[in-house]
Amino acid sequence: MQVIDYKCPNCGSSMVFDSETGMLSCHSCGRKDDIEQFPDPLRENVFSEDEVVEYHCNSCGAIIMTESETSATVCSFCGAAVVLGDRLTGTLAPAKVIPFSISKEKAMDAFQKWCRNGRLTPNGFMTADRIKGITGLYVPFWLFELHNKIEVHGLGTKVRTYRRGDYQYTETQHFDVYRKIDLNYVQVPIDAAEKMNDELMDKLEPFPYDQLKSFKTAYLAGYIAEKYSYNDEELYPRAKEKVSAYINSSIQSAMSGYSTMSYTNKQIDTRLQHADYVLLPVWVVHYDYNKSEHTFAMNGQTGKVVGKPPISMAKVSAWFASITGASFISLKLIALMMGGGLW
Amino acid sequence: MKKRNILAILFFIAVYLAVPMEMSLASAELKTLIYDEAGLLNKEEYNELNVMANEYSAKRETDIIILTSTNDDNIDVMKMTEDFYDEKAPGYDKPNGNTVILTMDMRNRDFYLAGFYKGKEYLDEGRLNKINDKITPDLANGDYRLAFQKYIQTAYKYMGFRPGVNPDNILFNGWFQLAVSLGIGGIIVGTMAYRSGGRVTVNRQTYEDASTSGILERQDTYMRTTTTKRKIEKNNSGGSGGGGGGTTGGGHSHSGSRGSF
Ligand SMILES: [Zn+2]
Ligand SMILES: [Zn+2]
C-alpha cells in the first residue's frame, strides 16, 4: 500500500489535481472533489519500514519506473497519477504545498511568448517541435526562519566644502557610529533538490506564500514531485549566505547619512528558528536547439520564466549596430546643434 | 531579414560619418595661394601645399593664403599682412573678399595670422590664437612644410564650426563620438544578453519580518572636526599669442594673432 492513486468514485478513471479550480477532478466524467475535505490516504495508512524496491501501479499492475527522489509521478503504461506514499511520510512529510495555478497549456503558451519576446533569441528557436518535454514539478524547498541580532560600530564622516576668499575649505566631521539591529527573516526559500540548478531556482522567486496550503497528497496527483536531497541542517549554510547579503544592505541603510563609513566592528549573531519543508510548483521545459538542450523553469504560480536562451549573434550584431548607429547620429546632431560641423 | 539589412546600412553610414572625408582632387584651375618669397619650400612641397590650400579654400569659400618674406625693408609683420591684402586684393568670392593669411617675417622670425570678412567672422582672435599655438612648435623646429600644412588644415577645420563655439570641444571629435557610441551599444546589448535569462526580483525586504525587525539602538557620537584648505588656482586663459586685429590702410578690418619663433 505504498502507492496511492485517486480512482474516481463515479467512473473509476484516474483523477488529477486541476490547477484552474484547485480541485481534484476526473477528466472522464467531470467529477470534482474539494481537496481540503478529501480524506488524505497518508493519514490512514501506516507504511512498513522495509526498503521498498518496486512500486506497482494500482490500476494496471505495471512496475512504476522512478528515480529514487521521485515521490509522485504518472504510470508510464496507463497514465494513472500515482503518489509514492512512503516517500512523503515521517521526516519526508512536507508541511505545506503551493499548488499549481498555471495549467500545462497556459505554461506552454507563456513559454512560447517569452521566447518570441526574447530580443536576442534566434528566430527559429521557438517552434513547437523543439519542446522535448514540459513537466509540472513540485520542487522540494526548505523555508528558513532566521533571526539575526546585529551590533555594528563604525567611523563615519560628514564632509562639507566651502569657499572663502582664494581658498577652498574642506571641513570633515568625524563621528563614532553605533547601531543595534534586529533582522528577522521568515520563509527564506532554499531549494533542496539536487538536480535543480540553484541559480535558476533563486531567480524564480518570489513565490506567493499566501497560497501555501497544508500538505495533502491529492495536490500532487498528475504531477511529478520530488523528495528533498538535502535536509535543513545541510542547507543552513546556504540560507545564512543568502540572508547575509540582505543583512549587509540593511546595515548600510541603517548607517546612511554619512559621506564615508568604515566599519570597525560588525557582529552578526544568526539563529535558526525553524525550517519548514514545502513543495513549490515549477514548470520545467526542455528544449532542443542546435543539438544542445536548454532548460527553462517557470514559477507555477506567478508565471515568471527563467533560464538561459540561446543567443543569436546576428541579432546581437544587429542590435549593437543599430544602437551604436543611433547613438552616433544623435551625437552628431547634438554636435551640429552646438555649432559643430558634420565632419 | 530586411530590418537587419537596414540596420547594417545604418552602421556603415555611422562609420563613414566618423571618418573625415578624403577630398577628391579638384580638376579646376589652381590659384596661387602660397607666396613663398623667402623660399622656405622646395618645388614638390610647394605644389602639394598649394593644391591642398586650393581644395580647402573652395570648401570654406575663403582663400587660405601663406606669405613668406625675407622682409628686406624691415616692415612690421602685421603691416606687411595688411599691405599684402590691400595690394594683391585676394579673396575667394571677390577681390578683397574672404581670406585667411599666414604671414612669415623671416628677418625678425615673426609671424602673423589674419582673417578677413568670412575669415574674420569664423576665425576670430581666439581661434587664430589656437592655430598660433599649434604651429609655433613646428615653426621653431624649422619644419615649415608641416607647420603650413597644419595651418591650412586647422583653419579649414575651425571654419566648419559656428562662430563663438569652442572648435576643440571633444564632443565635436568624430572618433570620440564613435567611441562613445560603441560604448553605449556595447553596454546596452551586454545588459540585454545578461538579462535574457531572467533577473532576481527579490530584495532585502522580501523576506524581512517588518514587525519584529528594526533598529533597537543608535548612537552617533560627534568626535572632532578637521579642516583642510587649498588655494584656488586662478586659471586665466593666458594666451601665448598676442596681437589682435586691426584695419588695413584700404579700410578692411581683420582679426589677428601674432607670434614669433
Ligand atoms: Zn469520473
Ligand atoms: Zn498503470
Side-chain angles (χ1 to χ4, degrees):
Chain A
M1 199 40 212
Q2 290 88 3
V3 176
I4 301 165
D5 67 355
Y6 300 90
K7 286 266 187 322
C8 173
N10 292 357
C11 69
S13 299
S14 185
M15 297 177 84
V16 293
F17 172 74
D18 178 40
S19 59
E20 307 275 319
T21 57
M23 307 251 232
L24 193 62
S25 67
C26 172
H27 287 317
S28 300
C29 68
R31 181 190 164 104
K32 290 197 177 359
D33 285 325
D34 189 349
I35 293 175
E36 310 281 339
Q37 255 104 75
F38 202 76
D40 198 321
L42 265 189
R43 312 232 184 272
E44 294 164 11
N45 293 289
V46 181
F47 300 102
S48 59
E49 292 293 313
D50 308 345
E51 184 94 348
V52 181
V53 194
E54 280 182 353
Y55 298 92
H56 291 272
C57 174
N58 290 346
S59 305
C60 70
I63 292 174
I64 297 165
M65 309 294 285
T66 69
E67 294 177 46
S68 59
E69 300 86 31
T70 308
S71 56
T73 186
V74 180
C75 171
S76 50
F77 289 92
C78 69
V82 292
V83 172
L84 310 179
D86 61 325
R87 293 180 178 177
L88 290 164
T89 48
T91 55
L92 293 176
K96 296 202 157 140
V97 60
I98 296 182
F100 280 88
S101 69
I102 293 175
S103 69
K104 190 174 198 159
E105 292 69 36
K106 277 191 189 158
M108 288 275 252
D109 285 351
F111 263 120
Q112 299 193 335
K113 206 169 146 222
W114 182 76
C115 289
R116 273 197 300 272
N117 288 345
R119 283 170 296 191
L120 298 180
T121 40
N123 286 326
F125 180 62
M126 199 43 238
T127 44
D129 59 332
R130 296 198 198 283
I131 299 178
K132 266 188 79 186
I134 177 161
T135 312
L137 184 66
Y138 280 103
V139 179
F141 274 80
W142 288 95
L143 300 186
F144 285 90
E145 177 163 353
L146 300 171
H147 287 192
N148 304 278
K149 299 213 171 292
I150 297 146
E151 286 189 83
V152 203
H153 286 273
L155 292 173
T157 64
K158 286 183 183 175
V159 180
R160 189 168 74 95
T161 58
Y162 55 92
R163 235 183 115 153
R164 195 161 295 157
D166 281 347
Y167 287 91
Q168 171 98 25
Y169 289 86
T170 306
E171 185 189 275
T172 310
Q173 290 180 298
H174 298 262
F175 291 86
D176 183 27
V177 185
Y178 167 78
R179 296 282 184 277
K180 187 173 175 185
I181 313 167
D182 267 7
L183 284 174
N184 298 337
Y185 296 101
V186 292
Q187 298 185 313
V188 180
I190 304 287
D191 96 86
E194 193 181 0
K195 65 164 80 155
M196 301 310 281
N197 179 307
D198 290 345
E199 198 195 337
L200 213 58
M201 291 298 110
D202 285 350
K203 285 183 181 167
L204 279 179
E205 294 170 36
F207 286 90
Y209 288 137
D210 54 338
Q211 298 299 315
L212 272 171
K213 306 253 193 291
S214 295
F215 179 75
K216 297 263 174 109
T217 52
Y219 288 117
L220 311 188
Y223 293 85
I224 310 292
E226 301 229 319
K227 68 182 179 68
Y228 62 79
S229 322
Y230 305 106
N231 65 24
D232 51 344
E233 266 173 56
E234 289 166 315
L235 290 179
Y236 178 54
R238 258 204 82 198
K240 223 172 138 173
E241 188 193 314
K242 189 164 182 169
V243 298
S244 80
Y246 305 151
I247 291 173
N248 283 323
S249 117
S250 293
I251 290 175
Q252 245 174 39
S253 91
M255 296 173 90
S256 59
Y258 290 94
S259 312
T260 66
M261 172 63 63
S262 64
Y263 303 107
T264 51
N265 187 12
K266 206 190 253 187
Q267 282 186 323
I268 302 171
D269 177 26
T270 303
R271 296 255 156 101
L272 170 63
Q273 293 306 111
H274 63 90
D276 284 333
Y277 176 37
V278 300
L279 299 178
L280 302 181
V282 176
W283 283 106
V284 179
V285 172
H286 293 288
Y287 257 72
D288 255 350
Y289 187 77
N290 272 353
K291 288 170 197 132
S292 66
E293 197 173 284
H294 296 265
T295 303
F296 300 96
M298 177 194 282
N299 187 315
Q301 273 276 347
T302 63
K304 183 182 181 185
V305 181
V306 301
K308 268 272 165 246
I311 292 206
S312 149
M313 278 328 284
K315 282 199 178 182
V316 168
S317 316
W319 275 100
F320 179 71
S322 50
I323 293 170
T324 302
S327 316
F328 189 75
I329 288 164
S330 313
L331 282 175
K332 279 283 175 208
L333 290 178
I334 290 169
L336 203 59
M337 278 187 288
M338 287 171 65
L342 262 187
W343 45 71
Chain B
M1 196 187 169
K2 245 188 177 157
K3 204 162 94 190
R4 198 175 301 156
N5 290 338
I6 293 167
L7 297 177
I9 290 164
L10 273 179
F11 181 68
F12 284 115
I13 290 173
V15 173
Y16 180 67
L17 286 178
V19 183
M21 288 209 304
E22 284 303 317
M23 248 56 62
S24 58
L25 273 176
S27 55
E29 79 284 11
L30 287 179
K31 271 174 147 177
T32 299
L33 291 175
I34 299 176
Y35 299 86
D36 188 15
E37 286 159 19
L40 302 179
L41 304 167
N42 65 32
K43 188 83 192 137
E44 211 173 292
E45 292 171 336
Y46 176 87
N47 284 336
E48 189 195 330
L49 287 173
N50 198 45
V51 167
M52 184 186 209
N54 269 275
E55 279 168 20
Y56 285 126
S57 296
K59 282 257 165 202
R60 297 291 181 236
E61 299 180 336
T62 301
D63 277 356
I64 301 174
I65 291 176
I66 297 169
L67 167 65
T68 74
S69 168
T70 49
N71 196 10
D72 298 333
D73 300 334
N74 202 8
I75 304 166
D76 179 69
V77 69
M78 177 171 161
K79 176 89 171 65
M80 200 194 296
T81 310
E82 292 175 345
D83 290 349
F84 172 84
Y85 187 78
D86 284 342
E87 283 159 27
K88 283 272 181 190
Y92 181 84
D93 48 339
K94 58 174 194 218
N96 287 125
N98 304 335
T99 308
V100 193
I101 305 176
L102 165 62
T103 308
M104 303 282 299
D105 169 6
M106 297 311 290
R107 177 185 185 130
N108 300 306
R109 297 184 71 79
D110 281 337
F111 67 91
Y112 189 76
L113 289 154
F116 294 88
Y117 297 101
K118 193 180 173 191
K120 182 192 175 195
E121 188 192 352
Y122 278 81
L123 296 173
D124 58 9
E125 194 182 321
R127 289 185 179 180
L128 289 180
N129 283 339
K130 279 172 177 292
I131 300 175
N132 184 330
D133 290 343
K134 278 194 186 173
I135 63 174
T136 302
D138 296 316
L139 292 176
N141 287 338
D143 194 344
Y144 300 115
R145 189 203 62 79
L146 182 62
F148 294 165
Q149 186 188 327
K150 279 188 186 169
Y151 153 73
I152 294 168
Q153 286 173 336
T154 314
Y156 159 77
K157 183 181 154 199
Y158 284 181
M159 287 191 78
F161 298 98
R162 193 193 300 155
V165 304
N166 174 7
D168 286 337
N169 190 329
I170 193 163
L171 278 176
F172 296 145
N173 184 314
W175 293 111
F176 173 79
Q177 293 167 342
L178 185 62
V180 169
S181 308
L182 287 169
I184 292 172
I187 289 169
I188 293 181
V189 176
T191 312
M192 279 164 67
Y194 178 74
R195 288 186 172 184
S196 66
R199 278 182 301 145
V200 172
T201 48
V202 293
N203 56 40
R204 67 182 166 91
Q205 265 138 14
T206 309
Y207 301 114
E208 189 181 302
D209 179 5
S211 61
T212 61
S213 300
I215 300 172
L216 304 180
E217 279 177 45
R218 57 165 79 222
Q219 279 164 28
D220 298 81
T221 316
Y222 169 76
M223 298 194 298
R224 64 182 184 280
T225 298
T226 54
T227 308
T228 57
K229 68 175 182 180
R230 186 176 59 81
K231 195 163 170 70
I232 297 163
E233 297 293 333
K234 286 261 172 59
N235 206 356
N236 282 336
S237 50
S240 58
T247 307
T248 69
H252 302 287
S253 100
H254 63 88
S255 58
S257 176
R258 169 193 279 273
S260 52
F261 56 97

